[in-house]
Amino acid sequence: GNAETPQIVLDSQGNAHLVWADAGAIVYSQCNEDGCLEPEIVSASPSLTCATDVTTHTAPAITINPDDRLMLVWETDTGVLPMLTWMAGDSPATAVAECVPVDSSLTAVRQPRVSSAKDGRFGLVFTSGLDADSTVSSAVFTTGWSDFVQLGNGRYPEIVFGDENKAHAIWCGD
């Protein structure tokens, strides 16, 4: 295939949760010492009504919190960021599916990255705008998204939570 941008996380039972982009779709599989489940295309979820105009899904980002809840966010050709959340023991077919509520005035929304905190929250960073004028923004998800905060100009952001559940972000700037 044309697999690219793979990501992997481990749940508390030692199962590996894998995602990657392949031919314009986001693919998921789960593996343990007995082998792997058949890969499934998760970007085709009928629950993703916010992403019906999307033709290309790419650049998946996945994380898992201490409660074994997974969050998967990815980039699209239309600038929406689809998101799935589900428990590690369940199939992504049971996932809560929605699009990250990014400000509609933002253009070229891409490069999503996610992380989880020890208290169960999820953090997201992404870029918007054209390369020369990209802006990095962030938000935190508990039971819904916090207000988005513009962090600065740049691209290729990453986010991580420290021991005190504080989010830390880094990105490349000019």
Side-chain angles (χ1 to χ4, degrees):
N2 296 317
E4 59 185 22
T5 60
Q7 296 276 299
I8 185 171
V9 294
L10 297 175
D11 66 27
S12 65
Q13 303 302 306
N15 298 309
H17 299 267
L18 317 160
V19 294
W20 63 94
D22 193 343
I26 302 301
V27 184
Y28 167 85
S29 185
Q30 180 181 324
C31 302
N32 60 31
E33 64 272 357
D34 297 326
C36 296
L37 298 176
E38 187 69 27
E40 60 183 291
I41 297 174
V42 294
S43 53
S45 170
S47 321
L48 279 173
T49 57
C50 57
T52 55
D53 295 337
V54 173
T55 57
T56 304
H57 302 265
T58 190
I62 192 169
T63 191
I64 190 166
N65 73 12
D67 300 326
D68 271 353
R69 178 168 296 283
L70 294 134
M71 175 178 276
L72 170 62
V73 179
W74 63 91
E75 181 179 322
T76 67
D77 59 343
T78 63
V80 298
L81 296 177
M83 175 187 87
L84 301 176
T85 58
W86 72 98
M87 296 304 294
D90 297 336
S91 162
T94 67
V96 173
E98 60 185 79
C99 285
V100 176
V102 179
D103 185 328
S104 62
S105 69
L106 298 179
T107 60
V109 175
R110 61 194 192 288
Q111 301 173 341
R113 309 302 295 159
V114 290
S115 185
S116 63
K118 289 181 180 178
D119 65 5
R121 295 177 302 146
F122 294 102
L124 167 73
V125 291
F126 61 90
T127 62
S128 60
L130 301 175
D131 281 339
D133 297 314
S134 291
T135 301
V136 175
S137 298
S138 71
V140 173
F141 184 89
T142 306
T143 56
W145 288 103
S146 68
D147 289 338
F148 286 82
V149 176
Q150 289 189 351
L151 301 175
N153 294 331
R155 54 191 181 276
Y156 308 115
E158 291 290 342
I159 186 169
V160 67
F161 283 88
D163 286 338
E164 304 81 33
N165 293 311
K166 183 176 179 182
H168 303 271
I170 188 171
W171 60 93
C172 296
D174 295 328

